[in-house]
Amino acid sequence: MPRKRFNAFEDFPESTPEDVQAQPKLTPGPRAAEANAVERIERLRPSQMLPDRFQPRRLLPTPLRRAFFSGEMDCYQAAEGWLALAHSEPAYRPELERLLAMGSSFEEHGQIKAITGSWAPATDGRFIFMIETGERRFWAACLQRVHNHLPDEPLLRVEVVAQPTRQRQVLENRHAEPPSAVGQACEVAALILAELGLQPDPAVKDDFEYFRLARAQRMPAGLWDRIMPVMQLTRPRMVQLLNILQLPTPLLELADRHRLPERVLREVLSLPPAQWERMLRVSIQSQLTSDEVAEAAAVQPGTTPPARNDPPVPMDPAYKAASGLRRFANTINDLDEFAQAQALDEIADKLVVTGQAEGLLVYLDELSRLITARLSRR
């Protein structure tokens, strides 16, 4: 029986952290379009690396970002905080579970794909490996160690590249996992700013302020044509995504955490700014579509937005239930005859298994009677 491993480098010669830090390879900040070349392959511990704070796809939860990127906590303390946070905030759990599954696959099969980046001087005079692509693998290893109480740091395979680029980050993100609408907006912004040679200022406290700079730039000829092959989106679609960055930072974080679709955010932005927060919270609570956001805005006009810590504004129960039925009907109607039968069969099985079938039949029978009575009066 093959033994499990957490280290994917058993076939590589040993090198110590002292050897690595004694001969760092400094790389200048290149223009985005320049070619990338792998200089060498090394193996490092997560404590020797640092993710890119201005990576367009945000992985580390917002409550932990400031302390981690300011050096107040290390990667393992951040991983502990992430695990604790997921217990109290369900929206953080799906990404956490995916990363834990990835970390488990490292133990079973080893690391398949390398982390890429380059060496840069740290504030304390040492050198730190700045991650270009592979932040998911970095956090997967950290979470795996903390979750399983492993005594030793894992060793991860890294490729030192001469010219890290935003394009490679974006391509990695899009191939690894579909980004949220907010993540896509930041990707478009990051590509624009890289093309213009505008680098992030580490002194900026709000990460989103860097991405918002893209909306204020004059786009030179040919810029959109260079970005389209990377994003695989049309120019109008990318402009729609950039408009999401109009939302205040707390609302961007909320929309990103709950992965609200771009069409929903576009509908929210069409409302007066005073209604943005209320409608975002209602959209999350009731899982509204863009059409339902427009309807809800018309049903509840002029309501003042709640404070950040106030509970979401409750929707009318009848409206909420009707929205769910419409989503059910639309989903089934979009399927062919065979897929409809299969979906309905699976739904029936799940309702019976969960013990909800009998109670639901009572409501459906009564709803059928009421609908039939209204149709007969037409």
Side-chain angles (χ1 to χ4, degrees), residues 143-165:
L143 288 163
Q144 180 76 357
R145 184 196 181 197
V146 172
H147 184 259
N148 291 339
H149 307 288
L150 301 176
D152 299 323
E153 278 199 75
L155 284 171
L156 297 174
R157 180 162 57 96
V158 305
E159 293 179 356
V160 180
V161 297
Q163 299 170 349
T165 68

Side-chain angles (χ1 to χ4, degrees), residues 90-329:
Y92 291 123
R93 291 175 194 166
E95 186 66 64
L96 178 70
E97 290 170 358
R98 286 191 289 269
L99 292 173
L100 285 171
M102 179 184 288
S104 179
S105 74
F106 289 173
E107 184 177 351
E108 185 71 26
H109 305 293
Q111 180 190 350
I112 296 173
K113 194 173 181 181
I115 294 171
T116 68
S118 59
W119 288 98
T123 55
D124 59 2
R126 296 180 303 112
F127 287 89
I128 194 80
F129 185 81
M130 300 298 297
I131 295 175
E132 175 204 33
T133 69
E135 184 180 352
R136 288 173 58 82
R137 296 183 280 285
F138 169 85
W139 286 117
C142 296
L143 288 163
Q144 180 76 357
R145 184 196 181 197
V146 172
H147 184 259
N148 291 339
H149 307 288
L150 301 176
D152 299 323
E153 278 199 75
L155 284 171
L156 297 174
R157 180 162 57 96
V158 305
E159 293 179 356
V160 180
V161 297
Q163 299 170 349
T165 68
R166 289 289 179 201
Q167 283 91 334
R168 285 166 51 86
Q169 277 190 342
V170 171
L171 288 169
E172 161 92 3
N173 292 347
R174 300 184 76 79
H175 290 159
E177 178 183 83
S180 68
V182 173
Q184 289 189 79
C186 292
E187 287 178 344
V188 174
L191 291 174
I192 290 172
L193 295 170
E195 287 286 346
L196 297 175
L198 297 176
Q199 300 300 322
D201 180 0
V204 172
K205 294 183 179 180
D206 182 354
D207 303 349
F208 285 114
E209 282 303 312
Y210 170 63
F211 300 112
R212 288 193 183 101
L213 290 175
R215 299 189 69 248
Q217 305 305 312
R218 184 175 180 178
M219 309 301 175
L223 184 145
W224 291 108
D225 293 335
R226 293 193 294 273
I227 292 176
M228 282 192 283
V230 180
M231 291 298 300
Q232 293 292 298
L233 296 173
T234 63
R235 175 177 173 172
R237 182 84 173 88
M238 289 191 282
V239 171
Q240 289 175 341
L241 287 167
L242 278 178
N243 287 336
I244 292 174
L245 298 175
Q246 296 177 75
L247 289 169
T249 293
L251 300 190
L252 284 173
E253 293 170 345
L254 191 65
D256 189 42
R257 188 191 325 161
H258 292 273
R259 299 184 66 85
L260 289 183
E262 183 271 334
R263 289 186 63 185
V264 169
L265 297 177
R266 197 192 320 165
E267 200 65 48
V268 169
L269 283 167
S270 69
L271 302 173
Q275 296 186 38
W276 287 352
E277 182 170 357
R278 177 183 69 83
M279 194 51 61
L280 267 182
R281 293 184 181 278
V282 170
S283 300
I284 293 166
Q285 182 188 32
S286 303
Q287 299 180 334
L288 300 184
T289 65
S290 57
D291 292 338
E292 290 165 347
V293 170
E295 291 178 19
V299 169
Q300 302 180 24
T303 306
T304 55
R308 282 187 68 180
N309 295 326
D310 286 350
V313 177
M315 289 195 66
D316 176 67
Y319 180 88
K320 185 176 178 180
S323 297
L325 285 172
R326 281 198 298 270
R327 282 197 295 274
F328 166 77

